[in-house]
C-alpha cells in the first residue's frame, strides 16, 4: 500500500507540471521553486519505492517498519497536498496569481519541510537497519498463507452433519466426478470468494469418493500462492502413498524436477486417479503440473478450488460451481449448530435471538465468519449483556485476539494479492455504502478523476480501467449484479465483509474514508472522504482537511461547503433538494468529476467553464433543461451525459427529455460520450470535429439532420454505440443514403418509423453489431430476414417495431443470438421456431403482444432456452403455460427446465409468477390443466426496460 504513494504522486506531478507549463503565473520566482521542488520530491519518493514495496509485503509483522512507513506515508500525503495546491493556484489568471503571492510562499515553506523530512526518513532507515533482505522470513504473506493452509487441513475433520448449505452442490459434484462415463480426464472447478466454503465442500466430496474406492488412487493437496512445482509434485506423491510405510518411490527430497515427474507419471500410468488441488491462485500451477499428470483415458478427475474465475475457466465443459454466501435461513442454521453445538436441540434461546440476528448480520452469510463468531459465542455467557458486548466489539481485524482475526487474514490475503495498479482502485470502492450497487461506468470515471488510472499506449484510460474492473471481478472482489449487452459487468457490489475490511485498511492507511454520520472528525488527516446525509455544519470547523472525493445524499446544498473543500476532484450530489447548483462550485478548480444524477437541480452555474480539468459531467435524470454556454470551454471534458427527468418521483423518472446544447460543441475535442442531447443542424455540423467519440445518443432527428449526419459519423473512427430517435411520430427516417455505413458499431438504437418499412440495404454489412434495439420502426418480415444473418448479433429488441401477423424463425437464422425481446407488436398472432433456429437463445421476452394467445409453435426447438419473461401478456396466453406435477424447481438433471416469469400489474403493484416447464416434452405438457401459480411482488423499478 505504501508504494502506491510514490506511484500516485509521480503520476500526479507529471500531470501538474504538464498543465501548469502553460500558465502565466509560472514566471513568478516562487512558483518556479515550487515546481522544481515538487518534481525533485517525487524523484526522492521514486527512490524509496523498493523499500515501500518491501514494507507493504511485511505489513503488521514489524513494528519498526510500520512506524517508518507511516511517517513516509504522511510525508507523501503532504507532498500530494502541495501538488494539488500548486495545481489549484496555477489555474488562475495572471492578476489573481500576483494577488496570491503569499499563498505561494507558504506553499514553498511546506514543500521544503516535507522534502527535509523525506530525506531524514531516507537516512534513518539505514541507521535502523530497515533493509528488504533481512525481514523476508517475517513476511505477513506466509503468515496468512499458513492460516489458510490450517483452515484447509481442518476441513478434513468436519463432520458431514455440521456442513450446511451445500447439499445441492455436493450432489452435482458427485455426479460430475463419479456419474460421468467420459474416459477423458475431466477438470471440475469450485470458485468463490475467500471463506465461502470452497474447501469444505470439495473436501467433503473428496472423503466420500476416497472412502468408496471409486478411483485407483486419490490425492488432496493445498497449492496456495507461493508454491514451487517440485514441492507440489512431492506432496502429491506423498498423498498418493498416505498410509504406506515403505514407499516404492524412495526419498523424493533428493529427486530433481525431471525425476519427480517421471516418478509421478510412472505411478499414475493406467490408473484412474482423483486429485483435489485446493486454493489455486494462478492458472500457472496447473500448466506447470499438467505434464506430470497422465491422461490415460481411464476416467481420471481433477477438482480445483480457487478464488479466481480465470483459474476456474480451466474446468472442462463449464463444469464450474460458483459458491455464494449462504442465504439467511441457512446462515441461521449454521450459526445455531456452531454456537449451540453442546445443546441437545441446538436452538437459540428466545432472549438471545435479537442479538444473535444482529451478530449474524455482520457475518454477511460467509460460513468462515459464522463459524468463527459461533466459536467465540460458545465461550461466552448466554446473557444479552455478554452477547451485546460481542456485537459491539466485533471488528474484522487481523490483530483481533478474540478468535476471529483469522477471518480477516483470509480475506486480506485476497487484497494483498492485488498488484499495486489494482489495490488502490479496489480500496476506493470502500467509499460506497453497504448494499450499494455500483455502476461500472461511473466507477471507471471516478477512478480516472482520482488519478488512479494511467493511460497506456494500448488503450484509453477508460479501456484500462475497464480491464481493472474485469480483473477485480475475476478475483471475486467485485461481484456482478447485472451485465450489459456485451456481457460485461454493468452493476457491481462488494460483499459487505470485504467492504468492511477494505474500509478499515483504507482508513488505517489514510487513503479513502466513508462517514455515515452528520458530523465528521475533521481534525483527522483524511485524504479522501465520502459524506452521506451531510449537514451544513462544517463552516465553524477550523481544521478543514484537503478532501478529494465528496458525495452528498438527500441534503440541501451549502455554498460554504464548496469554498472549504476546494481541492475536491470528485463531487457527486445524489437526491439533493436544491434547484440550483451554487456558482461556488466553479471555485473547485481541481474538479474532474461532477455528478448531479437523479437530482432536482434545474440549473448549472454560468461560471462552470472555469473547471478546465473537468472530465465528466453526469446530469442524467436531473431537472436540467438548458446548459450554460461556458460549458464549451471545458476542453478536457470526456463524458457528457444529459437527460431531464419527466417526473418529481426519483423512482419513476421516465419518460424524460433530451437537453439542448449551446453553440461551440466543436471545442470539446476530447469528448468520448455524448448522451442524450437534442439534435439540430449546428450540433450535427459540430460533431465532425469530435473524432474521439465512442458513444453518441441523438434525439429530435429529422430528415434534414440525416443529410449531414453520415459525414459527421464517418469522422468518428472510434464510434461503437449510436442512438437515433426521431423528432415525432410523423417523421420518417430514411437511412438508405448513409454513406459510408457505420460498420464498426457494436450497439445501435433506432426509434422512429423507417422509410418504406425496411431496414437500409447496408444493414447487412454491420458485421460487428452485438446489440440492436428497434422501436416504432414498422418493419416487414423481410427486414427480420436481413437481421437474421448478422454474425455477431447477441441481443435483439423489437418494440412496436413490426406489423406482421406472424413471425417464423427459419433454420439457421440468428446463429448466436442470446436474447430476443418482442414487445408491443399489435398484430402478432403467432410465432414459430423451426428446428435449428436461434441455436443459442437463452432468454425470450414477450410483452404487450395483445393478439398473441398461442404458445410459440415448436418452442422446444430452442434447445438452450433458460428463461422466458412475460410482461402483461393476454390471460389466454398465460393459461396455456403448463404448470403441474413434475415441473417444479426440484427437477431431474436430465430434464430441460426453462424458467418462465410472468409479470403483471395488480392494485398498482407489479407481481411475479414463476413457472418451471420441461421443454423436452412441452407439447405434451400443454395439454395439462392450468393451476394457480405462486405469486410474489416485485420492485417495479426493475422493469424500466419495458417502458
Amino acid at each position: 500500500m505504501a508504494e502506491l504513494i510514490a506511484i500516485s504522486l509521480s503520476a500526479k506531478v507529471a500531470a501538474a507540471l504538464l498543465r501548469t507549463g502553460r500558465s502565466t503565473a509560472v514566471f513568478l520566482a516562487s512558483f518556479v521553486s515550487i515546481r522544481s521542488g515538487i518534481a525533485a520530491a517525487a524523484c526522492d519518493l521514486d527512490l524509496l519505492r523498493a523499500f515501500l514495496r518491501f514494507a507493504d509485503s511485511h505489513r503488521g509483522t514489524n513494528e519498526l517498519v510500520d512506524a517508518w512507513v507511516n511517517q513516509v506515508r504522511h510525508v507523501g500525503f503532504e507532498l500530494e497536498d502541495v501538488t494539488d495546491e500548486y495545481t489549484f493556484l496555477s489555474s488562475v489568471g495572471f492578476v489573481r496569481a500576483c494577488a496570491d503571492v503569499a499563498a505561494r510562499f507558504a506553499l514553498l515553506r511546506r514543500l521544503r519541510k516535507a522534502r527535509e523530512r523525506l530525506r531524514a526518513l531516507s537516512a534513518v532507515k539505514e541507521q535502523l537497519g530497515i533493509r528488504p533482505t533481512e525481514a523476508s522470513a517475517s513476511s505477513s504473506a506466509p503468515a496468512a498463507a499458513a492460516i489458510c493452509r490450517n483452515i484447509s487441513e481442518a476441513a478434513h475433520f468436519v463432520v458431514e452433519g455440521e456442513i450446511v448449505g451445500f447439499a445441492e452442490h455436493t450432489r452435482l459434484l458427485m455426479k460430475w466426478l463419479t456419474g460421468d462415463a467420459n474416459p477423458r480426464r475431466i477438470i471440475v472447478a469450485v470458485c468463490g470468494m475467500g471463506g465461502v466454503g470452497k474447501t469444505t465442500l470439495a473436501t467433503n466430496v473428496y472423503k466420500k469418493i476416497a472412502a468408496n474406492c471409486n478411483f485407483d488412487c486419490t490425492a488432496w493437496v493445498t497449492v496456495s500462492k507461493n508454491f514451487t512445482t517440485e514441492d507440489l509434485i512431492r506432496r502429491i506423491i506423498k498423498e498418493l502413498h498416505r498410509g504406506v510405510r515403505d514407499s516404492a518411490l524412495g526419498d523424493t527430497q533428493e529427486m530433481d524436477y525431471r525425476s519427480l515427474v517421471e516418478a509421478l507419471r510412472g505411478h499414475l500410468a493406467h490408473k484412474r486417479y482423483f486429485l483435489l488441488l485446493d486454493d489455486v491462485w494462478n492458472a500457472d500451477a496447473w500448466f506447470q503440473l499438467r505434464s506430470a499428470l497422465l491422461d490415460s483415458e481411464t476416467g481420471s478427475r481433477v477438482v480445483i478450488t480457487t478464488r479466481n474465475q480465470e483459474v476456474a475457466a480451466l474446468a472442462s465443459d463449464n463444469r464450474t460451481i460458483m459458491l455464494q454466501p449462504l442465504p439467511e435461513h441457512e446462515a441461521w442454521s449454521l450459526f445455531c449448530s456452531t454456537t449451540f453445538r453442546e445443546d441437545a436441540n441446538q436452538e437459540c434461546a428466545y432472549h438471545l435471538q435479537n442479538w444473535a440476528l444482529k451478530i449474524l448480520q455482520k457475518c454477511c452469510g460467509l460460513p468462515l465468519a459464522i463459524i468463527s463468531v459461533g466459536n467465540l459465542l460458545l465461550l461466552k455467557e448466554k446473557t444479552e449483556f455478554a452477547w451485546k458486548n460481542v456485537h459491539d466489539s466485533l471488528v474484522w481485524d487481523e490483530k483481533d485476539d478474540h478468535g476471529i482475526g483469522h477471518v480477516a487474514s483470509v480475506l486480506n490475503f485476497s487484497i494483498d494479492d492485488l498488484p499495486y495498479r489494482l489495490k488502490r482502485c479496489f480500496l476506493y470502492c470502500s467509499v460506497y455504502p453497504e448494499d450499494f450497487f455500483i455502476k461500472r461506468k461511473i466507477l471507471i470515471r471516478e477512478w480516472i478523476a482520482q488519478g488512479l488510472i494511467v493511460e497506456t499506449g494500448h488503450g484509453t484510460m477508460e479501456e484500462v480501467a475497464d480491464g481493472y474492473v474485469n480483473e477485480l471481478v475475476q478475483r471475486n472482489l467485485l461481484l456482478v449484479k447485472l451485465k450489459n449487452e456485451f456481457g460485461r459487468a454493468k452493476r457491481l457490489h462488494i460483499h459487505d465483509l470485504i467492504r468492511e475490511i477494505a474500509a478499515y485498511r483504507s482508513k488505517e492507511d489514510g487513503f479513502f474514508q466513508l462517514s455515515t454520520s452528520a458530523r465528521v472528525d475533521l481534525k483527522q488527516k483524511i485524504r479522501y472522504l465520502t459524506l452521506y446525509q451531510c449537514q451544513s455544519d462544517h463552516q465553524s470547523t477550523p481544521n478543514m482537511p484537503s478532501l478529494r472525493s465528496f458525495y452528498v445524499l438527500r441534503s440541501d446544498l451549502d455554498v460554504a461547503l464548496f469554498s472549504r473543500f476546494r481541492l475536491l476532484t470528485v463531487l457527486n450530489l445524489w437526491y439533493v433538494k436544491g434547484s440550483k447548483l451554487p456558482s461556488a462550485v466553479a471555485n473547485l478548480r481541481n474538479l474532474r468529476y461532477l455528478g448531479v444524477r437523479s437530482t432536482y437541480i434545474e440549473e448549472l452555474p454560468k461560471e462552470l467553464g472555469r473547471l478546465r480539468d473537468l472530465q465528466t459531467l453526469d446530469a442524467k435524470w436531473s431537472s436540467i433543461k438548458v446548459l450554460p454556454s461556458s460549458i464549451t470551454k471545458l476542453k478536457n471534458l470526456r463524458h457528457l451525459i444529459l437527460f431531464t427527468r419527466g417526473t418529481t418521483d426519483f423512482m419513476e423518472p421516465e419518460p424524460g427529455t433530451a437537453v439542448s446544447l449551446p453553440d461551440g460543441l466543436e471545442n470539446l475535442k476530447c469528448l468520448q460520450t455524448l448522451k442524450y442531447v437534442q439534435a439540430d443542424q449546428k450540433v450535427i455540423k459540430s460533431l465532425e470535429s469530435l473524432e474521439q467519440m465512442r458513444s453518441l445518443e441523438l434525439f429530435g432527428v429529422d430528415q434534414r439532420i440525416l443529410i449531414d449526419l453520415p459525414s459527421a459519423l464517418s469522422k468518428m473512427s472510434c464510434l461503437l454505440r449510436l442512438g437515433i430517435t426521431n423528432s415525432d411520430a410523423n417523421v420518417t427516417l430514411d437511412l438508405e443514403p448513409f454513406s459510408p455505413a457505420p460498420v464498426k458499431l457494436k450497439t445501435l438504437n433506432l426509434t422512429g418509423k423507417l422509410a418504406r418499412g425496411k431496414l437500409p440495404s447496408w444493414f447487412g454489412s454491420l458485421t460487428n453489431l452485438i446489440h440492436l434495439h428497434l422501436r416504432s420502426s414498422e418493419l416487414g418480415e423481410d427486414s427480420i430476414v436481413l437481421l437474421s444473418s448478422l454474425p455477431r448479433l447477441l441481443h435483439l429488441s423489437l418494440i412496436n417495431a413490426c406489423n406482421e401477423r406472424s413471425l417464423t424463425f427459419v433454420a439457421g437464422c440468428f446463429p448466436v443470438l442470446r436474447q430476443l425481446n418482442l414487445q408491443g407488436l399489435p398484430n402478432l398472432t403467432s410465432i414459430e421456431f423451426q428446428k435449428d433456429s436461434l441455436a443459442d437463445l437463452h432468454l425470450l421476452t414477450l410483452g404487450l403482444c395483445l393478439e398473441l394467445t398461442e404458445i410459440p409453435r415448436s418452442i422446444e426447438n430452442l434447445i438452450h432456452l433458460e428463461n422466458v419473461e412475460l410482461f402483461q401478456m393476454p390471460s389466454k396466453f398465460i393459461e396455456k403455460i403448463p404448470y403441474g406435477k413434475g415441473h417444479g424447481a426440484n427437477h431431474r438433471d436430465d430434464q430441460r427446465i426453462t424458467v418462465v416469469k410472468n409479470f403483471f400489474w395488480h392494485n398498482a403493484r407489479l407481481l411475479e409468477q414463476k413457472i418451471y416447464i420441461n421443454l423436452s416434452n412441452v407439447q405434451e405438457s400443454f395439454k395439462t390443466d392450468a393451476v394457480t401459480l405462486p405469486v410474489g411482488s416485485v420492485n417495479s423499478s426493475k422493469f424500466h426496460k419495458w417502458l
Side-chain angles (χ1 to χ4, degrees):
M1 187 65 63
E3 185 193 5
L4 298 178
I5 304 167
I7 296 167
S8 173
L9 185 57
S10 298
K12 181 169 285 191
V13 166
L17 299 184
L18 177 64
R19 165 185 169 169
T20 55
R22 298 187 296 268
S23 175
T24 55
V26 78
F27 294 106
L28 295 175
S30 61
F31 227 50
V32 174
S33 299
I34 297 171
R35 192 169 186 263
S36 59
I38 291 174
C43 291
D44 293 340
L45 270 179
D46 281 343
L47 294 176
L48 289 174
R49 272 196 197 181
F51 295 99
L52 294 174
R53 181 179 299 163
F54 149 73
D56 277 343
S57 66
H58 296 78
R59 179 178 55 85
T61 62
N62 188 312
E63 292 184 5
L64 183 63
V65 172
D66 287 348
W68 177 76
V69 169
N70 282 336
Q71 293 187 51
V72 174
R73 181 186 296 117
H74 291 153
V75 176
F77 288 157
E78 178 67 6
L79 289 171
E80 191 172 1
D81 276 344
V82 171
T83 303
D84 287 338
E85 288 277 3
Y86 169 77
T87 303
F88 180 85
L89 293 173
S90 68
S91 64
V92 299
F94 183 76
V95 175
R96 178 64 184 273
C98 293
D100 286 340
V101 170
R104 288 178 169 79
F105 277 111
L107 197 62
L108 185 57
R109 288 192 294 272
R110 288 175 59 189
L111 175 61
R112 286 172 178 167
K113 288 182 179 179
R115 290 196 64 199
E116 289 172 1
R117 184 63 182 148
L118 186 60
R119 284 194 292 267
L121 287 169
S122 182
V124 79
K125 77 178 189 304
E126 298 294 337
Q127 299 173 15
L128 297 176
I130 301 176
R131 296 184 180 88
T133 57
E134 290 185 357
S136 57
S138 62
S139 173
S140 62
I147 292 173
C148 293
R149 189 161 52 249
N150 290 340
I151 293 174
S152 296
E153 295 284 352
H156 285 278
F157 310 106
V158 177
V159 180
E160 185 170 4
E162 297 175 353
I163 300 175
V164 175
F166 295 148
E168 195 64 25
H169 297 312
T170 299
R171 183 191 61 78
L172 185 57
L173 265 181
M174 291 295 292
K175 173 191 171 184
W176 285 344
L177 296 172
T178 63
D180 191 338
N182 190 336
R184 296 299 304 273
R185 181 183 62 206
I186 291 177
I187 302 175
V188 176
V190 180
C191 187
M193 62 180 288
V196 80
K198 303 181 296 295
T199 299
T200 301
L201 166 64
T203 303
N204 180 49
V205 171
Y206 173 85
K207 291 192 298 181
K208 288 182 178 181
I209 291 176
N212 293 332
C213 300
N214 296 93
F215 293 83
D216 298 325
C217 54
T218 62
W220 182 104
V221 292
T222 300
V223 179
S224 198
K225 279 178 58 178
N226 302 312
F227 75 95
T228 64
T229 308
E230 291 85 351
D231 178 62
L232 186 56
I233 296 176
R234 286 190 185 99
R235 287 190 284 122
I236 291 174
I237 292 174
K238 182 179 179 180
E239 276 287 312
L240 289 170
H241 292 79
R242 179 175 289 274
V244 178
R245 182 169 298 177
D246 297 321
S247 173
L249 295 176
D251 187 5
T252 58
Q253 294 298 326
E254 301 299 324
M255 293 183 180
D256 58 14
Y257 170 76
R258 180 177 174 182
S259 299
L260 288 167
V261 171
E262 290 174 347
L264 182 56
R265 288 171 65 94
H267 181 76
L268 297 179
H270 309 297
K271 291 182 181 177
R272 185 177 188 232
Y273 61 85
F274 174 35
L275 174 62
L276 195 158
L277 300 174
D278 185 51
D279 199 20
V280 179
W281 286 75
N282 195 302
D284 286 343
W286 172 251
F287 295 142
Q288 295 178 35
L289 187 61
R290 183 171 51 186
S291 59
L293 299 174
L294 285 173
D295 182 8
S296 304
E297 297 193 11
T298 55
S300 297
R301 301 292 181 260
V302 177
V303 172
I304 293 174
T305 71
T306 180
R307 306 184 188 195
N308 195 321
Q309 293 181 33
E310 286 187 344
V311 177
L314 293 169
S316 311
D317 298 326
N318 298 318
R319 283 179 168 84
T320 301
I321 292 177
M322 291 295 302
L323 288 188
Q324 303 295 336
L326 297 177
E328 290 182 8
H329 68 283
E330 291 181 346
W332 177 256
S333 177
L334 180 60
F335 175 82
C336 290
S337 64
T338 303
T339 309
F340 306 102
R341 64 166 62 96
E342 303 301 328
D343 299 350
N345 56 10
Q346 293 190 348
E347 292 182 0
C348 181
Y350 179 78
H351 71 284
L352 296 175
Q353 287 185 6
N354 179 47
W355 287 110
L357 289 170
K358 289 182 178 180
I359 292 171
L360 186 60
Q361 188 175 15
K362 283 196 169 187
C363 298
C364 308
L366 204 64
L368 179 61
I370 296 171
I371 293 172
S372 300
V373 170
N375 289 335
L376 174 62
L377 291 172
L378 186 64
L379 306 176
K380 303 296 181 181
E381 294 182 3
K382 301 298 188 290
T383 65
E384 293 184 67
F385 178 77
W387 283 37
K388 178 182 183 300
N389 285 340
V390 171
H391 172 271
D392 295 343
S393 62
L394 192 60
V395 177
W396 304 106
D397 180 12
E398 287 177 299
K399 302 172 185 177
D400 183 88
D401 57 358
H402 294 294
I404 60 173
H406 65 281
V407 178
S409 296
V410 169
L411 298 179
N412 264 315
F413 206 19
S414 294
I415 299 176
D416 290 333
D417 185 55
L418 293 173
Y420 73 86
R421 57 188 173 82
L422 290 178
K423 192 172 294 183
R424 198 175 183 188
C425 289
F426 174 68
L427 292 183
Y428 178 84
C429 299
S430 67
V431 304
Y432 296 105
E434 293 181 4
D435 302 321
F436 187 85
F437 287 172
I438 308 167
K439 197 171 190 300
R440 177 181 57 88
K441 289 182 179 179
I442 291 179
L443 177 62
I444 284 173
R445 291 162 188 165
E446 288 184 358
W447 279 349
I448 293 172
Q450 298 287 14
L452 305 180
I453 306 297
V454 178
E455 193 159 357
T456 67
H458 304 291
T460 64
M461 286 190 288
E462 286 79 7
E463 291 168 339
V464 172
D466 196 38
Y468 287 5
V469 170
N470 291 336
E471 286 191 63
L472 291 172
V473 168
Q474 293 290 338
R475 292 169 180 263
N476 280 297
L477 288 171
L478 288 181
L479 307 177
V480 178
K481 294 299 293 184
L482 182 66
K483 292 184 178 181
N484 65 8
E485 63 269 22
F486 303 118
R488 295 201 302 268
K490 184 175 183 179
R491 305 273 183 183
L492 304 138
H493 82 288
I494 311 176
H495 186 272
D496 288 345
L497 209 55
I498 289 282
R499 195 204 71 85
E500 184 176 335
I501 290 173
Y504 177 81
R505 290 187 59 169
S506 295
K507 180 180 178 181
E508 186 181 48
D509 292 337
F511 281 101
F512 310 101
Q513 183 175 346
L514 168 69
S515 174
T516 55
S517 62
R519 290 184 177 273
V520 182
D521 181 10
L522 295 176
K523 295 180 181 179
Q524 184 182 4
K525 189 63 177 178
I526 302 171
R527 295 301 303 154
Y528 296 85
L529 177 66
T530 298
L531 299 175
Y532 284 85
Q533 300 189 9
C534 172
Q535 302 295 327
S536 58
D537 54 9
H538 303 293
Q539 190 169 1
S540 60
T541 306
N543 299 318
M544 183 64 62
S546 300
L547 303 181
R548 298 295 186 277
S549 181
F550 180 50
Y551 276 67
V552 183
L553 267 179
R554 300 181 180 92
S555 169
D556 290 315
L557 297 180
D558 178 13
V559 175
L561 220 51
F562 300 116
S563 62
R564 290 181 176 272
F565 297 163
R566 65 178 189 170
L567 298 185
L568 285 173
T569 54
V570 172
L571 174 60
N572 250 314
L573 308 170
W574 290 66
Y575 308 119
V576 295
K577 300 175 183 176
S579 62
K580 182 178 179 180
L581 192 64
S583 59
V585 73
N587 295 326
L588 306 177
R589 294 194 288 270
N590 287 10
L591 200 65
R592 298 186 182 92
Y593 186 106
L594 176 58
V596 293
R597 177 181 287 238
S598 298
T599 66
Y600 290 124
I601 291 177
E602 300 176 355
E603 187 177 348
L604 295 174
K606 62 182 180 180
E607 299 87 354
L608 197 68
R610 294 179 189 170
L611 303 176
R612 69 182 200 180
D613 276 349
L614 195 67
Q615 298 171 347
T616 299
L617 175 57
D618 187 350
K620 189 175 182 180
W621 304 126
S622 70
S623 298
I624 295 171
K625 297 181 175 63
V626 179
L627 291 176
S629 58
S630 64
I631 196 174
T632 58
K633 297 179 181 179
L634 304 177
K635 295 186 179 181
N636 287 307
L637 198 64
R638 301 165 74 93
H639 308 284
L640 180 56
I641 302 105
L642 308 163
F643 206 53
T644 303
R645 64 171 48 258
T647 70
T648 58
D649 184 356
F650 279 117
M651 298 303 296
E652 298 289 344
E654 298 188 74
T657 57
V659 178
S660 299
L661 295 176
D663 294 344
L665 179 65
E666 63 275 6
N667 296 328
L668 308 181
K669 297 186 184 298
C670 292
L671 212 57
Q672 298 180 15
T673 305
L674 183 58
K675 299 160 66 172
Y676 301 79
V677 297
Q678 193 70 26
D680 57 37
Q681 289 180 300
K682 288 184 178 179
V683 168
I684 300 302
K685 193 66 178 176
S686 299
L687 289 177
E688 295 187 7
S689 302
L690 309 183
E691 298 180 1
Q692 300 300 315
M693 191 68 69
R694 284 163 169 76
S695 182
L696 177 63
E697 292 274 356
L698 299 173
F699 283 67
V701 174
D702 56 27
Q703 199 56 46
R704 293 175 303 168
I705 291 174
L706 285 176
I707 295 174
D708 296 323
L709 185 57
S711 175
L713 296 181
S714 67
K715 305 290 196 307
M716 301 177 184
S717 60
C718 302
L719 190 66
L720 300 177
R721 303 171 187 84
L722 175 63
I724 297 175
T725 299
N726 61 351
S727 54
D728 58 62
N730 297 321
V731 171
T732 299
L733 302 178
D734 189 356
L735 302 179
E736 189 64 45
F738 262 52
S739 180
V743 294
K744 293 184 179 180
L745 287 181
K746 292 187 175 181
T747 297
L748 178 59
N749 298 326
L750 295 176
T751 300
K753 183 169 60 177
L754 295 179
R756 297 170 293 279
K758 292 184 177 182
L759 291 169
S761 58
W762 49 262
F763 224 80
S765 65
L766 301 182
T767 55
N768 293 302
L769 199 63
I770 294 175
H771 184 277
L772 177 61
H773 181 101
L774 300 174
R775 183 189 290 265
S776 305
S777 304
E778 298 188 6
L779 297 177
E781 191 168 9
D782 53 346
S783 289
I784 308 297
V785 174
L786 177 61
L787 293 176
S788 69
S789 61
L790 293 178
R792 297 185 181 178
L793 191 63
L794 297 179
H795 298 241
L796 173 62
S797 289
L798 300 176
I799 300 180
N800 192 26
C802 179
N803 292 325
E804 296 295 317
R805 293 185 58 82
S806 65
L807 289 177
T808 300
F809 294 89
V810 299
C813 72
F814 296 104
V816 298
L817 195 72
R818 295 179 68 88
Q819 294 185 15
L820 175 62
N821 183 6
L822 304 174
Q823 296 192 51
L825 307 183
N827 301 323
L828 187 65
T829 60
S830 67
I831 303 175
E832 180 180 359
F833 299 108
Q834 294 184 359
K835 189 175 182 180
D836 297 327
S837 67
L838 297 155
D840 201 28
L841 192 70
H842 284 63
L843 171 63
L844 172 64
T845 300
L846 300 174
L848 293 169
C849 298
L850 302 182
E851 297 298 320
L852 185 62
T853 59
E854 299 290 335
I855 301 293
R857 292 196 300 275
S858 303
I859 193 172
E860 69 274 11
N861 289 328
L862 304 179
I863 58 175
H864 289 115
L865 189 63
E866 297 175 350
N867 294 280
V868 177
E869 293 183 350
L870 308 174
F871 183 72
Q872 288 190 282
M873 289 294 288
S875 58
K876 290 183 179 180
F877 183 97
I878 303 300
E879 290 170 357
K880 293 178 181 178
I881 299 175
Y883 181 82
K885 185 176 180 180
H887 299 294
N890 298 321
H891 54 81
R892 300 196 317 270
D893 290 327
D894 58 350
Q895 291 180 328
R896 286 177 47 206
I897 298 300
T898 299
V899 181
V900 180
K901 296 179 181 179
N902 176 35
F903 303 104
F904 60 96
W905 291 99
H906 181 70
N907 293 334
R909 295 178 65 197
L910 188 65
L911 303 181
E912 173 188 349
Q913 297 172 321
K914 186 177 290 186
I915 313 161
Y916 297 87
I917 62 174
N918 181 358
L919 288 182
S920 299
N921 53 8
V922 69
Q923 294 298 336
E924 180 180 349
S925 299
F926 288 159
K927 300 175 183 178
T928 63
D929 295 331
V931 298
T932 304
L933 307 180
V935 177
S937 62
V938 179
N939 185 348
S940 62
S941 63
K942 176 181 178 181
F943 299 100
H944 281 158
K945 62 181 180 181
W946 278 297
L947 297 180

